[in-house]
Amino acid sequence: MEKQWWHGKIAYQIYPKSFYDTDGDGIGDLPGIIEKLDYLKDLGVDIVWLSPVYRSPLADQGYDISDYYDIDPRFGTMDDIDRLLAEAKKRDMYIVMDLVVNHCSDEHEWFKKACLDPEGEYGQYFYLKKLKKTASSPDDAFAVRSPDGYVLPCNWRSYFGGPVWEKLPGHEDWFYLHVFHKKQPDLNWENPKLREEIYTMVNWWLDKGLAGFRIDAIINIKKALPFQNYAPDREDGLCTIGRMLQDARGVGEFLGELRDRTFAPHQAFTVGEVFNEKAEELPAFIGDHGYFSSMFDFSETVWGSSHAGWHKNKGITPDDYKGCLFSTQDKVGDIGFLSNIIENHDEPRGVSRYIPPQDMKIMPEEMRTAAKKALATVYFFVRGLPWIYQGQEIGMENVPIRSISEVDDIASIDAWNVMLRQGVSEKDALLALERNSRDNARTPFQWSGAPGAGFTTGTPWLRLNPGYTKINLAQQTGDPASVYNYYKKLIRLRKDSRYSGTMIYGSFEPYLADQSRVIAYQRRSGAQAILVVSNYTKETRALPLPAPVRKVLLDNCADTPAGEPLQITDKSVVLSGYRTLVLELDV
Ligand code: TEU
């Protein structure tokens, strides 16, 4: 693997709507991000990804873009973007924007033109079909119809529920494809003209000084054509998009062209949101000169999810989590550099998911904090680029959901309807939402315990997590034992030139892999060996050491009032509940 400038960096995701509001409208904005750049710099962040701020009706919170060359006024202006780029540059920071090109908004002018003339030039920018009420192959047992009887070209279920086909506004028998929400019509990448439009736009942004992109939902740009039905996997008669993606061939041709025409000439940093990739495709995606610089590892976020509904999603145990971490490391090896996360704007909070909720409920406060730091440590030092999602650095948790009326996220509302249709009780459905909802990550950043959590002086667009009076940055900055100050230590250690070579490029070797609820591994290079070891239980345990300890590099219970002195011998260490160490070994 060739070394790259970004391998030793720390990346951070901002969800602009919920980061920091400077004008009191309850919506975070670009001036707010500029104001907080020093905060991020001080934390140790180098690369900042902004979830979409382009002009948008915000039906899917900006992942539905109506103008790729404009900024939504709720977030700010193009001048704000230019200022952000300049201010980031002054601080040696890199701004990455979201590239959402599987689909646009139904309010984009391309789509409006396509509606006016489906058979014209812009009709070719989308997947439009003129349908009949009689099936072309009436013997296709899986065929589904629109509510008014038109036979749909395929029975795929959109990611947000319901069929992927929707009636084209202004027409009786024309339909368009949307694999996400109906306000997100899919762009037709088979059309070279559409691809040219995308490349022009990407280059326009890169020429502005953007470091690169996080690339949204990109695997979906290649459809398995011609459209066909698959065996339904729910009683709605539809089938998950994932099934179609198994059959889709040739996404690499589009991605290679995108790279060669845009990213490569600009030496852009890119991170793909890639699900459903085929294992043998990894080198093509993130190997040297791959389609992307990096891509997210989602093995633990998708673990245990079910097509049947959110109530069927399984909770992940520490051993399953460890299995995901380790098998990814094994799979990727030296092929490339993955991007590691414990949460993002589509996921529940990592501390509410990867620390057993039953432990979180009963543990004393100090152990809960230790557990949050333990999780941070174990994902931070595996091979790959560590990403922090806003609020993660202060240990923000899932938000209680008392009623569906409190929910904003369209994916959650769909999941709710699916569950109720299946006879799940409202109580159980609410519990499933609490565990899985995308709102969990989207509540405003908890800057302080003041009204509005220091996020806004107005009414926040999405309700605050009521926990903000206890969990907030202001209360953590001065506390050496806080989650926030621990993240600073993690970052400092990863960047410490005495260890960074090993942390970044060293081999990855699982340790005590078969011991339940111990998460431990070694990173080695040359004469250096670093052991990360976590007692991922509430109980005190003695664990063997592979070699004597030269130096304790990090201890998640240091600085805590009740942190007992470490008991280390040449052969073993005693770890209290969730105690986690990073050790340099004498080898
Ligand atoms: O997500 C793509 C995706 O497939 C999922 O993460 C999906 O949103 C989730 O499973 C639904 O519960 C990306 C964005 O990250 C997401 O916010 C957007 O909604 C989606 O694309 C559409 O642009």
Side-chain angles (χ1 to χ4, degrees):
M1 189 184 70
E2 282 174 18
K3 293 191 174 175
Q4 303 294 342
W5 64 266
W6 51 270
H7 284 163
K9 303 293 188 200
I10 302 294
Y12 188 96
Q13 180 189 356
I14 290 184
Y15 196 67
K17 202 170 181 186
S18 297
F19 191 57
Y20 186 54
D21 171 26
T22 55
D23 59 4
D25 65 355
I27 295 178
D29 45 43
L30 289 168
I33 296 173
I34 297 170
E35 214 175 301
K36 296 295 183 186
L37 276 182
D38 284 332
Y39 162 73
L40 296 174
K41 180 77 192 173
D42 177 61
L43 177 61
V45 169
D46 308 292
I47 300 173
V48 179
W49 151 33
L50 310 186
S51 275
V53 289
Y54 309 92
R55 189 176 281 272
S56 162
L58 304 190
D60 186 22
Q61 300 304 354
Y63 285 92
D64 48 320
I65 297 171
S66 55
D67 187 348
Y68 289 100
Y69 294 94
D70 201 3
I71 299 299
D72 196 90
R74 284 163 284 196
F75 295 125
T77 63
M78 197 59 83
D79 284 348
D80 292 330
I81 283 284
D82 292 335
R83 215 151 46 84
L84 174 64
L85 292 175
E87 291 296 323
K89 198 166 178 195
K90 273 190 211 160
R91 294 165 175 80
D92 287 323
M93 294 168 86
Y94 304 83
I95 302 291
V96 168
M97 282 176 58
D98 226 299
L99 182 63
V100 188
V101 287
N102 172 67
H103 46 267
C104 60
S105 160
D106 66 341
E107 298 184 30
H108 194 288
E109 62 162 359
W110 296 337
F111 192 72
K112 289 186 192 158
K113 288 180 182 165
C115 291
L116 291 176
D117 180 11
E119 280 165 307
E121 186 187 348
Y122 288 96
Q124 308 296 313
Y125 277 38
F126 300 92
Y127 292 96
L128 307 186
K129 285 274 179 196
K130 197 175 164 103
L131 302 183
K132 296 203 177 73
K133 291 200 174 180
T134 49
S136 48
S137 58
D139 51 0
D140 188 342
F142 301 143
V144 289
R145 290 168 186 271
S146 68
D148 56 351
Y150 287 93
V151 181
L152 303 182
C154 61
N155 70 339
W156 312 343
R157 179 188 306 108
S158 87
Y159 285 104
F160 297 145
V164 293
W165 294 97
E166 183 74 18
K167 209 176 267 269
L168 194 68
H171 300 267
E172 172 58 27
D173 52 358
W174 280 93
F175 286 71
Y176 68 95
L177 176 87
H178 61 91
V179 304
F180 289 93
H181 194 256
K182 64 181 179 195
K183 284 189 68 64
Q184 296 167 300
D186 279 57
L187 292 165
N188 178 9
W189 275 70
E190 305 291 339
N191 177 359
K193 266 196 100 175
L194 176 274
R195 300 204 298 275
E196 284 305 319
E197 296 259 22
I198 302 286
Y199 305 154
T200 306
M201 179 271 288
V202 171
N203 285 325
W204 185 85
W205 278 101
L206 291 173
D207 288 340
K208 248 184 177 312
L210 211 62
F213 289 100
R214 173 266 186 183
I215 300 147
D216 185 67
I218 195 66
I219 204 83
N220 297 284
I221 62 174
K222 186 76 193 183
K223 276 63 176 174
L225 297 175
F227 295 114
Q228 61 163 305
N229 298 314
Y230 295 102
D233 54 22
R234 270 189 212 162
E235 72 295 340
D236 59 6
L238 305 174
C239 152
T240 170
I241 297 281
R243 178 65 194 83
M244 173 283 281
L245 291 175
Q246 281 172 18
D247 280 1
R249 290 284 175 278
V251 71
E253 283 157 40
F254 293 156
L255 296 180
E257 189 180 84
L258 172 64
R259 171 199 57 206
D260 295 342
R261 296 286 309 281
T262 63
F263 308 147
H266 285 91
Q267 293 171 308
F269 166 78
T270 55
V271 51
E273 189 203 24
V274 183
F275 290 97
N276 302 86
E277 82 282 1
K278 299 165 183 82
E280 68 277 11
E281 290 174 339
L282 216 47
F285 274 82
I286 55 163
D288 291 336
H289 313 290
Y291 309 134
F292 307 124
S293 314
S294 181
M295 64 192 231
F296 288 107
D297 173 28
F298 290 120
S299 53
E300 63 280 339
T301 64
V302 299
W303 193 96
S305 69
S306 159
H307 297 316
W310 284 8
H311 61 297
K312 295 277 189 195
N313 288 355
K314 282 201 282 181
I316 187 165
T317 67
D319 288 342
D320 295 326
Y321 177 63
K322 174 168 78 171
C324 290
L325 272 184
F326 289 8
S327 61
T328 294
Q329 292 294 311
D330 187 45
K331 184 179 76 180
V332 177
D334 196 35
I335 292 173
F337 220 63
L338 281 177
S339 281
N340 299 319
I341 57 168
I342 59 167
E343 61 200 44
N344 66 25
H345 66 293
D346 291 333
E347 299 296 330
R349 290 287 179 176
V351 296
S352 301
R353 183 181 201 169
Y354 303 116
I355 304 168
Q358 62 275 22
D359 281 7
M360 285 293 265
K361 232 179 260 158
I362 57 171
M363 287 190 298
E365 191 55 38
E366 197 167 311
M367 202 184 281
R368 286 161 63 98
T369 301
K372 289 179 177 183
K373 296 175 186 172
L375 173 62
T377 315
V378 296
Y379 102 97
F380 219 78
F381 294 116
V382 296
R383 223 163 189 274
L385 178 67
W387 285 77
I388 299 169
Y389 176 74
Q390 66 180 44
Q392 180 187 322
E393 73 273 32
I394 56 168
M396 279 179 67
E397 299 175 6
N398 279 355
V399 62
I401 300 177
R402 288 154 307 195
S403 143
I404 186 66
S405 64
E406 293 178 339
V407 175
D408 168 80
D409 164 37
I410 47 179
S412 302
I413 293 169
D414 165 56
W416 169 262
N417 292 330
V418 169
M419 289 187 282
L420 293 199
R421 269 201 302 272
Q422 296 191 5
V424 177
S425 71
E426 293 207 356
K427 186 168 158 262
D428 290 345
L430 280 176
L431 279 176
L433 287 192
E434 273 193 356
R435 278 198 295 267
N436 298 285
S437 176
R438 306 198 298 181
D439 279 356
N440 281 312
R442 298 178 179 187
T443 60
F445 192 107
Q446 295 157 200
W447 295 102
S448 76
F455 160 72
T456 182
T457 53
T459 309
W461 73 276
L462 182 65
R463 72 194 190 291
L464 295 167
N465 187 322
Y468 80 92
T469 50
K470 276 209 196 124
I471 299 175
N472 63 67
L473 179 71
Q475 167 258 333
Q476 292 191 20
T477 36
D479 173 4
S482 67
V483 174
Y484 166 72
N485 278 311
Y486 188 74
Y487 266 91
K488 287 182 100 169
K489 289 183 201 164
L490 283 175
I491 294 173
R492 227 178 297 138
L493 176 58
R494 195 166 183 286
K495 290 186 173 178
D496 185 326
S497 58
R498 289 170 297 173
Y499 310 106
S500 55
T502 303
M503 299 289 198
I504 299 166
Y505 297 112
S507 66
F508 176 90
E509 296 165 25
Y511 179 62
L512 302 178
D514 50 7
Q515 281 223 29
S516 177
R517 299 192 63 168
V518 173
I519 306 185
Y521 52 84
Q522 289 191 62
R523 304 294 315 271
R524 284 167 171 270
S525 82
Q528 195 168 58
I530 294 169
L531 175 72
V532 175
V533 55
S534 178
N535 168 19
Y536 219 80
T537 68
K538 304 191 298 304
E539 289 76 34
T540 300
R541 291 164 91 175
L543 295 174
L545 290 170
V549 172
R550 183 176 296 165
K551 196 171 173 198
V552 178
L553 302 179
L554 205 58
D555 172 359
N556 72 332
C557 293
D559 298 322
T560 51
E564 296 154 29
L566 263 182
Q567 297 175 48
I568 301 189
T569 68
D570 273 2
K571 294 208 159 55
S572 71
V573 60
V574 177
L575 297 176
S576 55
Y578 285 98
R579 195 154 191 178
T580 300
L581 305 173
V582 182
L583 305 168
E584 186 183 11
L585 300 178
D586 219 350
V587 286

